[in-house]
Amino acid sequence: MVEAYILLTSAIGKVRDVYNQLEELESVQNVRIVTGPFDLIILVEAEDLSTLTNAVVEGIREIDGVVDTNTAIVVE
């Protein structure tokens, strides 16, 4: 099992819309709206690195309002 935290920047005025869509994705375990340089922090869990990559590229990054993501894979 692979876990990662995704630090996400959304378009202005789209944070709540992105949040709602993220909650519906199977790989998303937790999502929080935060302050600071990022708008949301997402905990993603996947079977392997390839599945994690697909979850980010074909799932999270395809959501309308997502501007940028930064993935931090959990190593310990």
Side-chain angles (χ1 to χ4, degrees), residues 15-54:
V15 174
R16 182 64 62 189
D17 293 337
V18 172
Y19 174 90
N20 290 335
Q21 292 179 65
L22 285 167
E23 283 199 313
E24 295 180 17
L25 296 177
E26 184 178 330
S27 60
V28 172
Q29 302 302 304
N30 198 343
V31 59
R32 295 286 188 248
I33 297 172
V34 296
T35 60
F38 302 100
D39 299 307
L40 298 117
I41 297 178
I42 309 140
L43 175 60
V44 175
E45 189 174 276
E47 183 177 317
D48 53 36
L49 190 55
S50 177
T51 307
L52 174 68
T53 301
N54 288 338

PDB file of all heavy atoms in Angstrom, residues 15-54:
ATOM      1  N   VAL A  15     -12.454  26.488  -4.390  1.00  0.00           N
ATOM      2  CA  VAL A  15     -11.991  25.584  -3.333  1.00  0.00           C
ATOM      3  C   VAL A  15     -13.089  24.613  -2.899  1.00  0.00           C
ATOM      4  O   VAL A  15     -12.881  23.404  -2.841  1.00  0.00           O
ATOM      5  CB  VAL A  15     -11.461  26.373  -2.108  1.00  0.00           C
ATOM      6  CG1 VAL A  15     -11.116  25.435  -0.965  1.00  0.00           C
ATOM      7  CG2 VAL A  15     -10.251  27.191  -2.489  1.00  0.00           C
ATOM      8  N   ARG A  16     -14.262  25.098  -2.611  1.00  0.00           N
ATOM      9  CA  ARG A  16     -15.351  24.239  -2.129  1.00  0.00           C
ATOM     10  C   ARG A  16     -15.777  23.243  -3.211  1.00  0.00           C
ATOM     11  O   ARG A  16     -16.021  22.081  -2.913  1.00  0.00           O
ATOM     12  CB  ARG A  16     -16.535  25.097  -1.677  1.00  0.00           C
ATOM     13  CG  ARG A  16     -17.702  24.320  -1.126  1.00  0.00           C
ATOM     14  CD  ARG A  16     -17.421  23.559   0.134  1.00  0.00           C
ATOM     15  NE  ARG A  16     -17.058  24.464   1.211  1.00  0.00           N
ATOM     16  CZ  ARG A  16     -16.587  24.045   2.382  1.00  0.00           C
ATOM     17  NH1 ARG A  16     -16.468  22.767   2.624  1.00  0.00           N
ATOM     18  NH2 ARG A  16     -16.256  24.897   3.306  1.00  0.00           N
ATOM     19  N   ASP A  17     -15.837  23.664  -4.467  1.00  0.00           N
ATOM     20  CA  ASP A  17     -16.195  22.756  -5.559  1.00  0.00           C
ATOM     21  C   ASP A  17     -15.167  21.631  -5.699  1.00  0.00           C
ATOM     22  O   ASP A  17     -15.528  20.466  -5.850  1.00  0.00           O
ATOM     23  CB  ASP A  17     -16.297  23.509  -6.887  1.00  0.00           C
ATOM     24  CG  ASP A  17     -17.457  24.486  -6.928  1.00  0.00           C
ATOM     25  OD1 ASP A  17     -18.424  24.303  -6.153  1.00  0.00           O
ATOM     26  OD2 ASP A  17     -17.391  25.426  -7.741  1.00  0.00           O
ATOM     27  N   VAL A  18     -13.893  21.993  -5.643  1.00  0.00           N
ATOM     28  CA  VAL A  18     -12.826  20.995  -5.743  1.00  0.00           C
ATOM     29  C   VAL A  18     -12.908  20.040  -4.556  1.00  0.00           C
ATOM     30  O   VAL A  18     -12.826  18.818  -4.715  1.00  0.00           O
ATOM     31  CB  VAL A  18     -11.437  21.672  -5.823  1.00  0.00           C
ATOM     32  CG1 VAL A  18     -10.320  20.647  -5.723  1.00  0.00           C
ATOM     33  CG2 VAL A  18     -11.303  22.484  -7.112  1.00  0.00           C
ATOM     34  N   TYR A  19     -13.102  20.581  -3.377  1.00  0.00           N
ATOM     35  CA  TYR A  19     -13.228  19.775  -2.153  1.00  0.00           C
ATOM     36  C   TYR A  19     -14.331  18.729  -2.312  1.00  0.00           C
ATOM     37  O   TYR A  19     -14.133  17.537  -2.030  1.00  0.00           O
ATOM     38  CB  TYR A  19     -13.522  20.696  -0.973  1.00  0.00           C
ATOM     39  CG  TYR A  19     -13.814  19.981   0.324  1.00  0.00           C
ATOM     40  CD1 TYR A  19     -12.789  19.662   1.212  1.00  0.00           C
ATOM     41  CD2 TYR A  19     -15.112  19.636   0.673  1.00  0.00           C
ATOM     42  CE1 TYR A  19     -13.055  19.014   2.409  1.00  0.00           C
ATOM     43  CE2 TYR A  19     -15.385  18.981   1.862  1.00  0.00           C
ATOM     44  CZ  TYR A  19     -14.358  18.677   2.729  1.00  0.00           C
ATOM     45  OH  TYR A  19     -14.622  18.032   3.912  1.00  0.00           O
ATOM     46  N   ASN A  20     -15.493  19.151  -2.763  1.00  0.00           N
ATOM     47  CA  ASN A  20     -16.630  18.240  -2.909  1.00  0.00           C
ATOM     48  C   ASN A  20     -16.342  17.125  -3.912  1.00  0.00           C
ATOM     49  O   ASN A  20     -16.719  15.973  -3.691  1.00  0.00           O
ATOM     50  CB  ASN A  20     -17.888  19.006  -3.312  1.00  0.00           C
ATOM     51  CG  ASN A  20     -18.407  19.882  -2.201  1.00  0.00           C
ATOM     52  OD1 ASN A  20     -18.174  19.628  -1.025  1.00  0.00           O
ATOM     53  ND2 ASN A  20     -19.102  20.940  -2.562  1.00  0.00           N
ATOM     54  N   GLN A  21     -15.664  17.448  -4.989  1.00  0.00           N
ATOM     55  CA  GLN A  21     -15.330  16.430  -5.996  1.00  0.00           C
ATOM     56  C   GLN A  21     -14.251  15.478  -5.500  1.00  0.00           C
ATOM     57  O   GLN A  21     -14.274  14.278  -5.801  1.00  0.00           O
ATOM     58  CB  GLN A  21     -14.905  17.090  -7.302  1.00  0.00           C
ATOM     59  CG  GLN A  21     -16.056  17.810  -7.995  1.00  0.00           C
ATOM     60  CD  GLN A  21     -15.602  18.480  -9.269  1.00  0.00           C
ATOM     61  OE1 GLN A  21     -15.198  17.785 -10.203  1.00  0.00           O
ATOM     62  NE2 GLN A  21     -15.641  19.792  -9.306  1.00  0.00           N
ATOM     63  N   LEU A  22     -13.313  15.990  -4.724  1.00  0.00           N
ATOM     64  CA  LEU A  22     -12.254  15.142  -4.174  1.00  0.00           C
ATOM     65  C   LEU A  22     -12.830  14.095  -3.232  1.00  0.00           C
ATOM     66  O   LEU A  22     -12.387  12.943  -3.223  1.00  0.00           O
ATOM     67  CB  LEU A  22     -11.227  15.990  -3.420  1.00  0.00           C
ATOM     68  CG  LEU A  22     -10.274  16.802  -4.278  1.00  0.00           C
ATOM     69  CD1 LEU A  22      -9.533  17.812  -3.427  1.00  0.00           C
ATOM     70  CD2 LEU A  22      -9.305  15.892  -5.018  1.00  0.00           C
ATOM     71  N   GLU A  23     -13.800  14.484  -2.428  1.00  0.00           N
ATOM     72  CA  GLU A  23     -14.396  13.558  -1.468  1.00  0.00           C
ATOM     73  C   GLU A  23     -15.033  12.349  -2.150  1.00  0.00           C
ATOM     74  O   GLU A  23     -15.201  11.312  -1.518  1.00  0.00           O
ATOM     75  CB  GLU A  23     -15.421  14.274  -0.602  1.00  0.00           C
ATOM     76  CG  GLU A  23     -14.794  15.126   0.471  1.00  0.00           C
ATOM     77  CD  GLU A  23     -15.787  15.452   1.570  1.00  0.00           C
ATOM     78  OE1 GLU A  23     -16.920  15.851   1.249  1.00  0.00           O
ATOM     79  OE2 GLU A  23     -15.410  15.292   2.738  1.00  0.00           O
ATOM     80  N   GLU A  24     -15.379  12.464  -3.413  1.00  0.00           N
ATOM     81  CA  GLU A  24     -16.028  11.376  -4.136  1.00  0.00           C
ATOM     82  C   GLU A  24     -15.038  10.390  -4.759  1.00  0.00           C
ATOM     83  O   GLU A  24     -15.446   9.313  -5.203  1.00  0.00           O
ATOM     84  CB  GLU A  24     -16.946  11.944  -5.214  1.00  0.00           C
ATOM     85  CG  GLU A  24     -18.099  12.736  -4.633  1.00  0.00           C
ATOM     86  CD  GLU A  24     -19.020  13.301  -5.688  1.00  0.00           C
ATOM     87  OE1 GLU A  24     -18.965  12.825  -6.848  1.00  0.00           O
ATOM     88  OE2 GLU A  24     -19.782  14.210  -5.357  1.00  0.00           O
ATOM     89  N   LEU A  25     -13.754  10.726  -4.788  1.00  0.00           N
ATOM     90  CA  LEU A  25     -12.759   9.840  -5.389  1.00  0.00           C
ATOM     91  C   LEU A  25     -12.405   8.698  -4.432  1.00  0.00           C
ATOM     92  O   LEU A  25     -12.166   8.916  -3.244  1.00  0.00           O
ATOM     93  CB  LEU A  25     -11.495  10.616  -5.749  1.00  0.00           C
ATOM     94  CG  LEU A  25     -11.656  11.703  -6.815  1.00  0.00           C
ATOM     95  CD1 LEU A  25     -10.333  12.425  -7.018  1.00  0.00           C
ATOM     96  CD2 LEU A  25     -12.155  11.118  -8.119  1.00  0.00           C
ATOM     97  N   GLU A  26     -12.345   7.495  -4.971  1.00  0.00           N
ATOM     98  CA  GLU A  26     -12.104   6.293  -4.175  1.00  0.00           C
ATOM     99  C   GLU A  26     -10.772   6.315  -3.434  1.00  0.00           C
ATOM    100  O   GLU A  26     -10.677   5.885  -2.292  1.00  0.00           O
ATOM    101  CB  GLU A  26     -12.159   5.069  -5.082  1.00  0.00           C
ATOM    102  CG  GLU A  26     -12.014   3.765  -4.357  1.00  0.00           C
ATOM    103  CD  GLU A  26     -12.116   2.587  -5.298  1.00  0.00           C
ATOM    104  OE1 GLU A  26     -12.814   2.679  -6.318  1.00  0.00           O
ATOM    105  OE2 GLU A  26     -11.480   1.571  -4.998  1.00  0.00           O
ATOM    106  N   SER A  27      -9.742   6.813  -4.068  1.00  0.00           N
ATOM    107  CA  SER A  27      -8.404   6.795  -3.468  1.00  0.00           C
ATOM    108  C   SER A  27      -8.207   7.854  -2.380  1.00  0.00           C
ATOM    109  O   SER A  27      -7.283   7.754  -1.575  1.00  0.00           O
ATOM    110  CB  SER A  27      -7.341   6.977  -4.548  1.00  0.00           C
ATOM    111  OG  SER A  27      -7.534   8.210  -5.211  1.00  0.00           O
ATOM    112  N   VAL A  28      -9.082   8.842  -2.323  1.00  0.00           N
ATOM    113  CA  VAL A  28      -8.954   9.923  -1.335  1.00  0.00           C
ATOM    114  C   VAL A  28      -9.459   9.435   0.018  1.00  0.00           C
ATOM    115  O   VAL A  28     -10.623   9.070   0.170  1.00  0.00           O
ATOM    116  CB  VAL A  28      -9.714  11.191  -1.794  1.00  0.00           C
ATOM    117  CG1 VAL A  28      -9.744  12.228  -0.682  1.00  0.00           C
ATOM    118  CG2 VAL A  28      -9.075  11.762  -3.048  1.00  0.00           C
ATOM    119  N   GLN A  29      -8.561   9.429   0.989  1.00  0.00           N
ATOM    120  CA  GLN A  29      -8.901   8.992   2.343  1.00  0.00           C
ATOM    121  C   GLN A  29      -9.335  10.154   3.230  1.00  0.00           C
ATOM    122  O   GLN A  29     -10.146   9.983   4.134  1.00  0.00           O
ATOM    123  CB  GLN A  29      -7.697   8.287   2.995  1.00  0.00           C
ATOM    124  CG  GLN A  29      -7.212   7.100   2.206  1.00  0.00           C
ATOM    125  CD  GLN A  29      -8.299   6.072   1.996  1.00  0.00           C
ATOM    126  OE1 GLN A  29      -8.883   5.587   2.957  1.00  0.00           O
ATOM    127  NE2 GLN A  29      -8.593   5.757   0.743  1.00  0.00           N
ATOM    128  N   ASN A  30      -8.761  11.329   2.962  1.00  0.00           N
ATOM    129  CA  ASN A  30      -9.058  12.504   3.785  1.00  0.00           C
ATOM    130  C   ASN A  30      -8.730  13.748   2.971  1.00  0.00           C
ATOM    131  O   ASN A  30      -7.765  13.756   2.212  1.00  0.00           O
ATOM    132  CB  ASN A  30      -8.210  12.467   5.063  1.00  0.00           C
ATOM    133  CG  ASN A  30      -8.725  13.365   6.144  1.00  0.00           C
ATOM    134  OD1 ASN A  30      -9.522  14.259   5.893  1.00  0.00           O
ATOM    135  ND2 ASN A  30      -8.268  13.140   7.364  1.00  0.00           N
ATOM    136  N   VAL A  31      -9.517  14.783   3.143  1.00  0.00           N
ATOM    137  CA  VAL A  31      -9.246  16.054   2.463  1.00  0.00           C
ATOM    138  C   VAL A  31      -9.594  17.190   3.410  1.00  0.00           C
ATOM    139  O   VAL A  31     -10.608  17.144   4.095  1.00  0.00           O
ATOM    140  CB  VAL A  31      -9.999  16.157   1.109  1.00  0.00           C
ATOM    141  CG1 VAL A  31     -11.489  16.028   1.287  1.00  0.00           C
ATOM    142  CG2 VAL A  31      -9.650  17.437   0.380  1.00  0.00           C
ATOM    143  N   ARG A  32      -8.723  18.179   3.456  1.00  0.00           N
ATOM    144  CA  ARG A  32      -8.907  19.334   4.337  1.00  0.00           C
ATOM    145  C   ARG A  32      -8.634  20.627   3.580  1.00  0.00           C
ATOM    146  O   ARG A  32      -7.671  20.714   2.814  1.00  0.00           O
ATOM    147  CB  ARG A  32      -7.951  19.278   5.531  1.00  0.00           C
ATOM    148  CG  ARG A  32      -8.191  18.117   6.466  1.00  0.00           C
ATOM    149  CD  ARG A  32      -9.437  18.382   7.293  1.00  0.00           C
ATOM    150  NE  ARG A  32      -9.585  17.387   8.321  1.00  0.00           N
ATOM    151  CZ  ARG A  32     -10.542  16.486   8.343  1.00  0.00           C
ATOM    152  NH1 ARG A  32     -11.425  16.450   7.373  1.00  0.00           N
ATOM    153  NH2 ARG A  32     -10.636  15.630   9.320  1.00  0.00           N
ATOM    154  N   ILE A  33      -9.467  21.613   3.811  1.00  0.00           N
ATOM    155  CA  ILE A  33      -9.216  22.966   3.305  1.00  0.00           C
ATOM    156  C   ILE A  33      -8.318  23.645   4.327  1.00  0.00           C
ATOM    157  O   ILE A  33      -8.602  23.599   5.532  1.00  0.00           O
ATOM    158  CB  ILE A  33     -10.540  23.733   3.127  1.00  0.00           C
ATOM    159  CG1 ILE A  33     -11.417  23.044   2.075  1.00  0.00           C
ATOM    160  CG2 ILE A  33     -10.262  25.187   2.736  1.00  0.00           C
ATOM    161  CD1 ILE A  33     -12.820  23.621   1.957  1.00  0.00           C
ATOM    162  N   VAL A  34      -7.225  24.245   3.851  1.00  0.00           N
ATOM    163  CA  VAL A  34      -6.240  24.833   4.754  1.00  0.00           C
ATOM    164  C   VAL A  34      -5.885  26.257   4.327  1.00  0.00           C
ATOM    165  O   VAL A  34      -6.221  26.683   3.221  1.00  0.00           O
ATOM    166  CB  VAL A  34      -4.954  23.966   4.808  1.00  0.00           C
ATOM    167  CG1 VAL A  34      -5.259  22.597   5.381  1.00  0.00           C
ATOM    168  CG2 VAL A  34      -4.308  23.843   3.435  1.00  0.00           C
ATOM    169  N   THR A  35      -5.182  26.950   5.199  1.00  0.00           N
ATOM    170  CA  THR A  35      -4.657  28.270   4.867  1.00  0.00           C
ATOM    171  C   THR A  35      -3.183  28.115   4.510  1.00  0.00           C
ATOM    172  O   THR A  35      -2.578  27.076   4.763  1.00  0.00           O
ATOM    173  CB  THR A  35      -4.785  29.242   6.054  1.00  0.00           C
ATOM    174  OG1 THR A  35      -4.038  28.715   7.165  1.00  0.00           O
ATOM    175  CG2 THR A  35      -6.245  29.405   6.461  1.00  0.00           C
ATOM    176  N   GLY A  36      -2.611  29.139   3.922  1.00  0.00           N
ATOM    177  CA  GLY A  36      -1.198  29.097   3.568  1.00  0.00           C
ATOM    178  C   GLY A  36      -1.022  29.047   2.066  1.00  0.00           C
ATOM    179  O   GLY A  36      -1.922  29.404   1.304  1.00  0.00           O
ATOM    180  N   PRO A  37       0.125  28.546   1.609  1.00  0.00           N
ATOM    181  CA  PRO A  37       0.421  28.555   0.177  1.00  0.00           C
ATOM    182  C   PRO A  37      -0.426  27.568  -0.632  1.00  0.00           C
ATOM    183  O   PRO A  37      -0.518  27.688  -1.847  1.00  0.00           O
ATOM    184  CB  PRO A  37       1.904  28.186   0.105  1.00  0.00           C
ATOM    185  CG  PRO A  37       2.184  27.472   1.380  1.00  0.00           C
ATOM    186  CD  PRO A  37       1.245  28.062   2.394  1.00  0.00           C
ATOM    187  N   PHE A  38      -1.044  26.596   0.031  1.00  0.00           N
ATOM    188  CA  PHE A  38      -1.912  25.632  -0.647  1.00  0.00           C
ATOM    189  C   PHE A  38      -3.336  25.804  -0.137  1.00  0.00           C
ATOM    190  O   PHE A  38      -3.555  26.322   0.950  1.00  0.00           O
ATOM    191  CB  PHE A  38      -1.427  24.197  -0.400  1.00  0.00           C
ATOM    192  CG  PHE A  38      -0.021  23.978  -0.863  1.00  0.00           C
ATOM    193  CD1 PHE A  38       1.031  23.992   0.031  1.00  0.00           C
ATOM    194  CD2 PHE A  38       0.257  23.781  -2.200  1.00  0.00           C
ATOM    195  CE1 PHE A  38       2.334  23.806  -0.388  1.00  0.00           C
ATOM    196  CE2 PHE A  38       1.558  23.597  -2.647  1.00  0.00           C
ATOM    197  CZ  PHE A  38       2.596  23.612  -1.740  1.00  0.00           C
ATOM    198  N   ASP A  39      -4.299  25.341  -0.921  1.00  0.00           N
ATOM    199  CA  ASP A  39      -5.703  25.474  -0.546  1.00  0.00           C
ATOM    200  C   ASP A  39      -6.275  24.209   0.092  1.00  0.00           C
ATOM    201  O   ASP A  39      -7.159  24.287   0.938  1.00  0.00           O
ATOM    202  CB  ASP A  39      -6.541  25.833  -1.782  1.00  0.00           C
ATOM    203  CG  ASP A  39      -6.101  27.150  -2.389  1.00  0.00           C
ATOM    204  OD1 ASP A  39      -6.045  28.148  -1.644  1.00  0.00           O
ATOM    205  OD2 ASP A  39      -5.803  27.182  -3.592  1.00  0.00           O
ATOM    206  N   LEU A  40      -5.784  23.060  -0.343  1.00  0.00           N
ATOM    207  CA  LEU A  40      -6.265  21.784   0.189  1.00  0.00           C
ATOM    208  C   LEU A  40      -5.102  20.831   0.399  1.00  0.00           C
ATOM    209  O   LEU A  40      -4.122  20.861  -0.357  1.00  0.00           O
ATOM    210  CB  LEU A  40      -7.252  21.124  -0.785  1.00  0.00           C
ATOM    211  CG  LEU A  40      -8.526  21.903  -1.055  1.00  0.00           C
ATOM    212  CD1 LEU A  40      -8.604  22.298  -2.502  1.00  0.00           C
ATOM    213  CD2 LEU A  40      -9.732  21.101  -0.657  1.00  0.00           C
ATOM    214  N   ILE A  41      -5.231  19.986   1.411  1.00  0.00           N
ATOM    215  CA  ILE A  41      -4.288  18.895   1.626  1.00  0.00           C
ATOM    216  C   ILE A  41      -5.106  17.610   1.593  1.00  0.00           C
ATOM    217  O   ILE A  41      -6.113  17.485   2.280  1.00  0.00           O
ATOM    218  CB  ILE A  41      -3.528  19.030   2.957  1.00  0.00           C
ATOM    219  CG1 ILE A  41      -2.681  20.298   2.934  1.00  0.00           C
ATOM    220  CG2 ILE A  41      -2.655  17.794   3.199  1.00  0.00           C
ATOM    221  CD1 ILE A  41      -1.918  20.569   4.219  1.00  0.00           C
ATOM    222  N   ILE A  42      -4.648  16.662   0.767  1.00  0.00           N
ATOM    223  CA  ILE A  42      -5.391  15.436   0.531  1.00  0.00           C
ATOM    224  C   ILE A  42      -4.516  14.242   0.902  1.00  0.00           C
ATOM    225  O   ILE A  42      -3.355  14.169   0.487  1.00  0.00           O
ATOM    226  CB  ILE A  42      -5.757  15.308  -0.963  1.00  0.00           C
ATOM    227  CG1 ILE A  42      -6.428  16.590  -1.453  1.00  0.00           C
ATOM    228  CG2 ILE A  42      -6.617  14.100  -1.236  1.00  0.00           C
ATOM    229  CD1 ILE A  42      -5.992  16.992  -2.826  1.00  0.00           C
ATOM    230  N   LEU A  43      -5.075  13.305   1.652  1.00  0.00           N
ATOM    231  CA  LEU A  43      -4.397  12.042   1.918  1.00  0.00           C
ATOM    232  C   LEU A  43      -4.954  11.019   0.935  1.00  0.00           C
ATOM    233  O   LEU A  43      -6.168  10.784   0.893  1.00  0.00           O
ATOM    234  CB  LEU A  43      -4.636  11.572   3.356  1.00  0.00           C
ATOM    235  CG  LEU A  43      -4.072  10.191   3.713  1.00  0.00           C
ATOM    236  CD1 LEU A  43      -2.553  10.155   3.530  1.00  0.00           C
ATOM    237  CD2 LEU A  43      -4.456   9.816   5.133  1.00  0.00           C
ATOM    238  N   VAL A  44      -4.051  10.451   0.132  1.00  0.00           N
ATOM    239  CA  VAL A  44      -4.442   9.474  -0.885  1.00  0.00           C
ATOM    240  C   VAL A  44      -3.793   8.141  -0.541  1.00  0.00           C
ATOM    241  O   VAL A  44      -2.637   8.089  -0.116  1.00  0.00           O
ATOM    242  CB  VAL A  44      -3.984   9.941  -2.288  1.00  0.00           C
ATOM    243  CG1 VAL A  44      -4.268   8.893  -3.335  1.00  0.00           C
ATOM    244  CG2 VAL A  44      -4.648  11.254  -2.648  1.00  0.00           C
ATOM    245  N   GLU A  45      -4.550   7.063  -0.743  1.00  0.00           N
ATOM    246  CA  GLU A  45      -4.032   5.723  -0.521  1.00  0.00           C
ATOM    247  C   GLU A  45      -4.272   4.905  -1.784  1.00  0.00           C
ATOM    248  O   GLU A  45      -5.364   4.958  -2.359  1.00  0.00           O
ATOM    249  CB  GLU A  45      -4.757   5.087   0.671  1.00  0.00           C
ATOM    250  CG  GLU A  45      -4.174   3.790   1.125  1.00  0.00           C
ATOM    251  CD  GLU A  45      -4.855   3.300   2.384  1.00  0.00           C
ATOM    252  OE1 GLU A  45      -4.451   3.746   3.477  1.00  0.00           O
ATOM    253  OE2 GLU A  45      -5.788   2.488   2.265  1.00  0.00           O
ATOM    254  N   ALA A  46      -3.242   4.161  -2.203  1.00  0.00           N
ATOM    255  CA  ALA A  46      -3.348   3.366  -3.431  1.00  0.00           C
ATOM    256  C   ALA A  46      -2.615   2.046  -3.256  1.00  0.00           C
ATOM    257  O   ALA A  46      -1.745   1.907  -2.394  1.00  0.00           O
ATOM    258  CB  ALA A  46      -2.771   4.139  -4.606  1.00  0.00           C
ATOM    259  N   GLU A  47      -2.958   1.097  -4.106  1.00  0.00           N
ATOM    260  CA  GLU A  47      -2.374  -0.243  -4.044  1.00  0.00           C
ATOM    261  C   GLU A  47      -0.872  -0.225  -4.330  1.00  0.00           C
ATOM    262  O   GLU A  47      -0.103  -0.931  -3.696  1.00  0.00           O
ATOM    263  CB  GLU A  47      -3.084  -1.130  -5.061  1.00  0.00           C
ATOM    264  CG  GLU A  47      -2.635  -2.564  -5.054  1.00  0.00           C
ATOM    265  CD  GLU A  47      -3.435  -3.395  -6.028  1.00  0.00           C
ATOM    266  OE1 GLU A  47      -4.661  -3.237  -6.087  1.00  0.00           O
ATOM    267  OE2 GLU A  47      -2.803  -4.203  -6.733  1.00  0.00           O
ATOM    268  N   ASP A  48      -0.460   0.594  -5.290  1.00  0.00           N
ATOM    269  CA  ASP A  48       0.950   0.679  -5.658  1.00  0.00           C
ATOM    270  C   ASP A  48       1.224   2.052  -6.275  1.00  0.00           C
ATOM    271  O   ASP A  48       0.315   2.869  -6.420  1.00  0.00           O
ATOM    272  CB  ASP A  48       1.350  -0.438  -6.625  1.00  0.00           C
ATOM    273  CG  ASP A  48       0.453  -0.510  -7.853  1.00  0.00           C
ATOM    274  OD1 ASP A  48       0.007   0.548  -8.341  1.00  0.00           O
ATOM    275  OD2 ASP A  48       0.185  -1.630  -8.323  1.00  0.00           O
ATOM    276  N   LEU A  49       2.480   2.288  -6.629  1.00  0.00           N
ATOM    277  CA  LEU A  49       2.876   3.595  -7.149  1.00  0.00           C
ATOM    278  C   LEU A  49       2.175   3.927  -8.462  1.00  0.00           C
ATOM    279  O   LEU A  49       1.780   5.073  -8.693  1.00  0.00           O
ATOM    280  CB  LEU A  49       4.394   3.654  -7.324  1.00  0.00           C
ATOM    281  CG  LEU A  49       4.993   5.017  -7.640  1.00  0.00           C
ATOM    282  CD1 LEU A  49       4.584   6.063  -6.611  1.00  0.00           C
ATOM    283  CD2 LEU A  49       6.500   4.916  -7.725  1.00  0.00           C
ATOM    284  N   SER A  50       1.991   2.949  -9.309  1.00  0.00           N
ATOM    285  CA  SER A  50       1.306   3.171 -10.583  1.00  0.00           C
ATOM    286  C   SER A  50      -0.146   3.601 -10.364  1.00  0.00           C
ATOM    287  O   SER A  50      -0.631   4.528 -11.014  1.00  0.00           O
ATOM    288  CB  SER A  50       1.354   1.892 -11.426  1.00  0.00           C
ATOM    289  OG  SER A  50       0.637   2.070 -12.616  1.00  0.00           O
ATOM    290  N   THR A  51      -0.823   2.954  -9.448  1.00  0.00           N
ATOM    291  CA  THR A  51      -2.214   3.301  -9.131  1.00  0.00           C
ATOM    292  C   THR A  51      -2.284   4.695  -8.515  1.00  0.00           C
ATOM    293  O   THR A  51      -3.196   5.465  -8.809  1.00  0.00           O
ATOM    294  CB  THR A  51      -2.827   2.254  -8.177  1.00  0.00           C
ATOM    295  OG1 THR A  51      -2.654   0.956  -8.746  1.00  0.00           O
ATOM    296  CG2 THR A  51      -4.304   2.514  -7.946  1.00  0.00           C
ATOM    297  N   LEU A  52      -1.304   5.022  -7.680  1.00  0.00           N
ATOM    298  CA  LEU A  52      -1.236   6.358  -7.087  1.00  0.00           C
ATOM    299  C   LEU A  52      -1.062   7.413  -8.177  1.00  0.00           C
ATOM    300  O   LEU A  52      -1.750   8.434  -8.179  1.00  0.00           O
ATOM    301  CB  LEU A  52      -0.090   6.445  -6.083  1.00  0.00           C
ATOM    302  CG  LEU A  52       0.183   7.836  -5.505  1.00  0.00           C
ATOM    303  CD1 LEU A  52      -0.958   8.273  -4.609  1.00  0.00           C
ATOM    304  CD2 LEU A  52       1.488   7.860  -4.757  1.00  0.00           C
ATOM    305  N   THR A  53      -0.162   7.158  -9.100  1.00  0.00           N
ATOM    306  CA  THR A  53       0.069   8.089 -10.202  1.00  0.00           C
ATOM    307  C   THR A  53      -1.207   8.319 -10.995  1.00  0.00           C
ATOM    308  O   THR A  53      -1.558   9.456 -11.313  1.00  0.00           O
ATOM    309  CB  THR A  53       1.181   7.555 -11.132  1.00  0.00           C
ATOM    310  OG1 THR A  53       2.376   7.399 -10.367  1.00  0.00           O
ATOM    311  CG2 THR A  53       1.431   8.504 -12.279  1.00  0.00           C
ATOM    312  N   ASN A  54      -1.923   7.254 -11.306  1.00  0.00           N
ATOM    313  CA  ASN A  54      -3.193   7.374 -12.031  1.00  0.00           C
ATOM    314  C   ASN A  54      -4.220   8.165 -11.238  1.00  0.00           C
ATOM    315  O   ASN A  54      -4.965   8.966 -11.808  1.00  0.00           O
ATOM    316  CB  ASN A  54      -3.754   5.998 -12.390  1.00  0.00           C
ATOM    317  CG  ASN A  54      -2.969   5.325 -13.484  1.00  0.00           C
ATOM    318  OD1 ASN A  54      -2.270   5.967 -14.259  1.00  0.00           O
ATOM    319  ND2 ASN A  54      -3.066   4.011 -13.548  1.00  0.00           N
TER     320      ASN A  54
END
